[in-house]
Amino acid sequence: MKDGPPGGDDDAVVPGRYPAGVDNQWQTRTFERLNTPVDRFVGDKTAKAFAQLRVHTVGDLLRHVPRRYLAGTENSDLTDLPIGEDLAVMAIVDSVQVAGQSPRRRVEAVLTDGRGRLSVTFFGKDYLVKFWVGLLSGRPRGIFVGRVGEFNNRPQLTHPKFVLFDERGNPTGKSDQSDLVASVSRSGLVGIYPAVKAVQTWTISATIAMVLEQVADDLVEPLPEWVLESEQLPTMLEAFQDVHLPDTRERAERGIERLLFDEALALQLAMAQRRSQAAQDPAAVMQHRPGGLLDALDQRLPFTLTPGQQQVCDEIFTELAREHPMQRLLQGEVGSGKTVVATRAMTRAIDAGYQAALLAPTEVLATQHADTLRGLLGDLGDGQVLGAPEQATKVVLLTGSMPAAARKQALLDIASGEAGIVIGTHALLGDQVQFANLGLVIVDEQHRFGVEQRAVLGAKAELRPHVLVMTATPIPRSVAMTVFGDLETSTLREIPAGRSEVQTTVVDATRHPAWVSRAWERITEEVAAGRQAFVVCSRISKTQTDTDPFDQLESDEAMPDPVGVEELAEQLATGPLRGTRVAVLHGRMSAEEKADTMTAFAAGEVDVLVSTTVIEVGVDVPNASMMVVMDADRFGISQLHQLRGRIGRGSHAGVCLLVSHAPPGSPAARRLAAVARSRDGFALAEEDLAARREGNILGSSQAGTRSSLRLLRVLEHLPIIEASRTIAARLVTQDPHLENPYLADMVRQTELLAAGDWLEKG
Ligand code: ADP
Ligand code: MG
């Protein structure tokens, strides 16, 4: 094998093999070929039809893989044919005859696979009828491909395409179906492709076979040999050939492995590049300062850290003391005590002379964080006022709805550096916010903030700040490695001692309406015992239009309209909960009203809070012991788990009632049963993910986007994702700027998944 420019010396090109030496021209040629629009090969109409299948380029086309393979004898069960499906059967023509009168003559043949029989009909002019009868006489064996129709209540193929074989199993050439001949591999395996009306499976396979033949010479293996060796993968060209024209099923599967690997690798390359970038950037070095703010805080913590908190803090401190920015994800169940961890990290930053920012997704949460931190810090958080401890810093809150004067003061404190701890919502990302010396950014409930927002905050600092992302939604490992693949992960698994049980029960409101009344009685009992309750609705009012994705999913189940916060609060206050103090909370209220209501609830001035999911994240009212979720069937597993985390935070056992109209056995009923069964957030997250199908979660089916994920399923393909992660890290070490144009293109085409789209929904 020689090096040489593409198209030069003929024997320099060994199709499918990587030429000796790394020569970017080969890879350029490969990726240019793969990026050629399909309309260079097919007519406009076909190209449009392919677009419906998200096939725009040659690369897309070659990665459009059969959803299954039919191999004559093993799959042609003629006894049980699904009407309306595309089908390929290997069968013998048992009989053939002409029926009807000219000009309505037709050929009627019967196929058999030895078990069942299937009738096949062709209509046509006399000469065609004669031609077909000639071909099909003498009990030939062949593959017949078509859509199964119905005639006289029996399955039938009308005008199937077919290829006949001679005794040795070679196509006879008498078939006059060049499309199909091309799509049947030597072995007789027929790939059945995901298809649409305008391009059916055999057109797809014929197009692929044609295109593959034309571009094969240009498909030089873009990955280094060692990758293929270490993962035992076929070359890209072999993979395409094996997937589309397989000799054996094993080869087809091996080909698909390779395509899967490439998808996983593209994602992981993007992540590896980000990590390596971060690893090179300088960052503030934050050493421990004996006698500083952190030590002072530790002395007044009202509890001892759990071993898990201790360990996570150590991980964080080690990284803060390095010269490169920390990029860490901290996941911990609701109530696992992430806030203390965050607070300790922030005080460490302040001890090193930097500011720390805490980003929260909502005003309610930002406000609550500010209160919590001020509570933990006491006079350590009041700033350098007269008589304050010398380590004291100022905790400043910045939200969008603050009055102008307070806002101005906050901005000043942030700019002067007087505020060591800055807590806020998106407002922190605004242009007017200037930090004196930002060194650490903590993002709570990451899924509402994308990578871009992290970058905006990063740009407000001279050195790239350390980043800690906290999420209460447990993230399965495979997802953590893809969606949050640029972050290292820490996990808090245990809940601090003193937590109480939460008993979760599904209340079937359709079959047992009386149980719902019982739920209200139960609330009055809790309130009489001095406790508080949440009632959660899926919408604000009856008239609200619904955009919840689960509504659409299950719209065919006849379900009553969901109840709204406003109506229900009214009904409860004047009916079953008369005498208790009921308040409402929802997104249509002003930030101030919301904050006031939350404060009143936290202070025990409200007994029952009827709300939408605005209470979802992070809200901490230890005295709340009961939650009733109305129309719980409209919520996703993770969301319900999050909601339920609002209770059982104090010493009182919690009760969570999931009121549902979902019919037994429905997907919604199964989701609710899962939530009732388990309080293990990690297990629930896995179920949630499985229930929602990762394809959608990662946005690959979002209209208009061209995601590179065609085959990869994040949950199913963990081993491939892990392997590709290791390989990606090595590739990026060897080629930090991705000068290999194919790899660079792979990354470019990988739309970086907006972190947490998958968490956001339902
Ligand atoms: P998260 O943000 O992870 O949901 P929080 O940080 O709000 O959890 O902690 C939940 C509650 O547990 C808070 O009231 C907090 O004061 C308390 N807590 C945190 N750590 C401990 C601990 N080590 N021992 C006892 N209580 C703790
Ligand atoms: Mg929290």
Side-chain angles (χ1 to χ4, degrees):
M1 237 187 307
K2 278 190 273 172
D3 274 335
D9 196 353
D10 263 352
D11 50 29
V13 182
V14 179
R17 277 288 152 193
Y18 190 69
V22 179
D23 182 342
N24 288 341
Q25 293 186 69
W26 297 105
Q27 295 135 347
T28 305
R29 182 156 142 189
T30 300
F31 93 78
E32 279 176 355
R33 221 38 177 140
L34 291 175
N35 282 330
T36 308
V38 275
D39 61 15
R40 300 275 177 80
F41 296 88
V42 299
D44 275 1
K45 240 171 90 188
T46 313
K48 272 210 188 97
F50 272 120
Q52 292 172 36
L53 293 163
R54 295 197 300 133
V55 169
H56 306 276
T57 63
V58 169
D60 296 338
L61 183 69
L62 296 178
R63 292 189 185 102
H64 188 71
V65 307
R67 59 188 158 82
R68 64 199 166 108
Y69 293 94
L70 298 182
T73 48
E74 38 176 308
N75 280 292
S76 60
D77 184 355
L78 297 185
T79 55
D80 184 20
L81 292 176
I83 306 291
E85 269 212 20
D86 291 337
L87 165 96
V89 289
M90 178 81 83
I92 286 175
V93 184
D94 201 34
S95 67
V96 58
Q97 66 179 54
V98 179
Q101 295 300 316
S102 181
R104 285 233 166 64
R105 270 210 218 271
R106 60 184 190 274
V107 179
E108 285 185 348
V110 175
L111 307 180
T112 179
D113 61 352
R115 284 173 292 181
R117 296 163 71 79
L118 173 65
S119 71
V120 171
T121 310
F122 299 89
F123 297 89
K125 300 235 165 69
D126 285 1
Y127 77 92
L128 277 173
V129 164
K130 235 168 116 187
F131 171 70
W132 285 320
V133 169
L135 283 180
L136 298 173
S137 297
R139 294 179 53 84
R141 192 168 66 91
I143 289 184
F144 295 79
V145 185
R147 189 158 291 176
V148 182
E150 206 172 4
F151 184 69
N152 282 344
N153 285 327
R154 304 188 49 186
Q156 152 169 305
L157 288 180
T158 305
H159 279 284
K161 299 198 169 216
F162 62 91
V163 187
L164 301 177
F165 298 101
D166 63 19
E167 292 85 56
R168 282 191 304 278
N170 294 319
T172 57
K174 281 202 286 177
S175 317
D176 196 27
Q177 302 279 2
S178 53
D179 266 13
L180 184 60
V181 174
S183 68
V184 176
S185 74
R186 275 174 311 224
S187 58
L189 281 176
V190 181
I192 299 295
Y193 290 84
V196 290
K197 212 165 178 188
V199 266
Q200 299 198 345
T201 173
W202 37 92
T203 311
I204 293 171
S205 72
T207 308
I208 291 176
M210 181 263 291
V211 170
L212 187 54
E213 201 185 324
Q214 291 196 36
V215 302
D217 285 353
D218 290 334
L219 299 184
V220 177
E221 176 55 44
L223 294 181
E225 194 84 46
W226 64 262
V227 177
L228 305 194
E229 266 164 29
S230 91
E231 297 307 310
Q232 305 197 330
L233 294 168
T235 65
M236 188 171 67
L237 179 61
E238 284 162 358
F240 287 146
Q241 287 166 338
D242 284 347
V243 164
H244 298 296
L245 296 166
D247 279 336
T248 61
R249 271 171 203 280
E250 292 69 46
R251 296 281 296 265
E253 271 157 29
R254 214 174 58 121
I256 286 182
E257 286 269 296
R258 166 66 203 260
L259 302 188
L260 277 171
F261 180 82
D262 281 9
E263 283 185 13
L265 184 65
L267 271 175
Q268 293 303 333
L269 277 172
M271 298 299 178
Q273 241 194 331
R274 277 203 223 150
R275 285 199 310 268
S276 107
Q277 198 65 51
Q280 283 160 30
D281 286 350
V285 176
M286 300 173 175
Q287 303 281 6
H288 179 221
R289 186 155 71 85
L293 183 58
L294 172 59
D295 287 353
L297 167 71
D298 281 348
Q299 273 166 23
R300 32 178 99 183
L301 279 184
F303 42 72
T304 36
L305 297 178
T306 64
Q309 284 170 321
Q310 192 71 59
Q311 189 199 326
V312 169
C313 285
D314 289 347
E315 281 167 0
I316 291 171
F317 289 162
T318 307
E319 287 190 326
L320 291 180
R322 291 208 184 117
E323 285 157 12
H324 302 292
M326 169 173 76
Q327 302 275 304
R328 189 162 279 278
L329 173 71
L330 168 57
Q331 41 177 343
E333 278 277 7
V334 165
S336 59
K338 296 181 294 296
T339 315
V340 187
V341 172
T343 312
R344 292 187 80 226
M346 289 193 279
T347 55
R348 172 94 170 225
I350 293 161
D351 281 342
Y354 293 90
Q355 289 170 292
L358 173 59
L359 257 176
T362 62
E363 300 214 347
V364 168
L365 256 185
T367 309
Q368 187 164 39
H369 272 312
D371 292 346
T372 307
L373 260 64
R374 286 180 180 133
L376 281 171
L377 289 164
D379 58 0
L380 291 170
D382 290 342
Q384 286 297 338
V385 292
L386 199 63
E390 47 142 352
Q391 308 95 328
T393 189
K394 195 165 177 179
V395 178
V396 162
L397 175 68
L398 187 79
T399 63
S401 67
M402 275 166 73
R407 182 181 163 77
K408 203 167 155 207
Q409 185 59 49
L411 288 173
L412 274 175
D413 288 342
I414 297 170
S416 69
E418 197 151 322
I421 294 181
V422 181
I423 299 163
T425 54
H426 280 92
L428 279 186
L429 305 174
D431 285 341
Q432 314 88 330
V433 184
Q434 300 288 337
F435 286 86
N437 200 3
L438 180 62
L440 169 66
V441 173
I442 298 187
V443 183
D444 192 18
E445 309 299 344
Q446 147 81 12
H447 47 284
R448 320 254 161 154
F449 293 101
V451 173
E452 307 75 37
Q453 280 102 332
R454 270 193 258 153
V456 170
L457 263 186
K460 291 181 184 291
E462 235 161 86
L463 289 174
R464 185 167 169 154
H466 299 280
V467 173
L468 179 68
V469 169
M470 304 196 295
T471 173
T473 310
I475 299 169
R477 226 165 96 66
S478 52
V479 177
M481 276 195 292
T482 41
V483 183
F484 299 99
D486 58 333
L487 307 175
E488 308 295 329
T489 307
S490 299
T491 304
L492 279 177
R493 278 186 186 270
E494 70 223 294
I495 302 279
R499 279 321 181 77
S500 35
E501 278 303 301
V502 174
Q503 177 71 44
T504 304
T505 309
V506 180
V507 175
D508 185 335
T510 306
R511 272 144 288 262
H512 304 282
W515 291 3
V516 181
S517 321
R518 175 72 194 116
W520 308 135
E521 277 169 37
R522 189 67 209 271
I523 288 187
T524 54
E525 288 162 23
E526 290 291 317
V527 171
R531 245 82 73 201
Q532 291 162 281
F534 292 105
V535 179
V536 181
C537 301
S538 61
R539 54 160 92 179
I540 299 173
S541 65
K542 237 196 209 131
T543 51
Q544 185 188 359
T545 41
D546 252 309
T547 49
D548 190 290
F550 282 103
D551 283 356
Q552 287 142 28
L553 276 179
E554 285 162 20
S555 55
D556 46 349
E557 291 168 22
M559 300 235 256
D561 275 350
V563 61
V565 168
E566 286 167 348
E567 295 90 38
L568 185 64
E570 170 83 37
Q571 276 170 32
L572 292 177
T574 56
L577 298 185
R578 204 175 318 116
T580 64
R581 294 165 299 176
V582 177
V584 298
L585 184 72
H586 57 69
R588 248 191 249 148
M589 290 158 59
S590 74
E592 209 181 336
E593 285 174 306
K594 277 189 283 188
D596 287 350
T597 306
M598 260 332 286
T599 310
F601 187 64
E605 291 156 14
V606 167
D607 300 314
V608 180
L609 190 63
V610 185
S611 78
T612 55
T613 55
V614 287
I615 54 143
E616 183 181 341
V617 239
V619 171
D620 193 9
V621 179
N623 192 45
S625 58
M626 181 162 177
M627 174 174 287
V628 179
V629 183
M630 303 302 291
D631 304 294
D633 42 81
R634 294 180 179 258
F635 296 94
I637 290 177
S638 293
Q639 204 176 11
L640 290 170
H641 180 63
Q642 293 273 314
L643 282 169
R644 174 173 58 179
R646 306 297 131 232
I647 55 171
R649 289 171 85 89
S651 51
H652 321 292
V655 175
C656 178
L657 302 179
L658 306 175
V659 178
S660 156
H661 292 277
S666 63
R670 284 201 298 273
R671 288 200 300 274
L672 298 182
V675 175
R677 201 167 49 232
S678 170
R679 261 187 105 193
D680 178 345
F682 282 86
L684 288 175
E686 301 267 353
E687 290 205 38
D688 195 13
L689 197 56
R692 285 192 281 157
R693 292 228 189 83
E694 316 78 48
N696 290 336
I697 290 153
L698 293 177
S700 60
S701 68
Q702 273 166 20
T705 60
R706 234 190 90 204
S707 165
S708 54
L709 288 188
R710 281 183 177 277
L711 303 170
L712 198 67
R713 294 286 171 268
V714 172
L715 266 191
E716 271 166 54
H717 298 131
L718 180 61
I720 292 180
I721 292 170
E722 279 178 332
S724 68
R725 187 173 172 84
T726 313
I727 299 284
R730 276 179 72 187
L731 283 170
V732 168
T733 312
Q734 288 177 0
D735 182 5
H737 304 292
L738 292 188
E739 272 154 30
N740 176 333
Y742 178 81
L743 296 186
D745 189 57
M746 255 175 143
V747 171
R748 218 171 12 249
Q749 294 208 18
T750 302
E751 268 140 328
L752 288 178
L753 311 161
D757 264 5
W758 70 279
L759 288 165
E760 188 98 25
K761 297 178 197 148

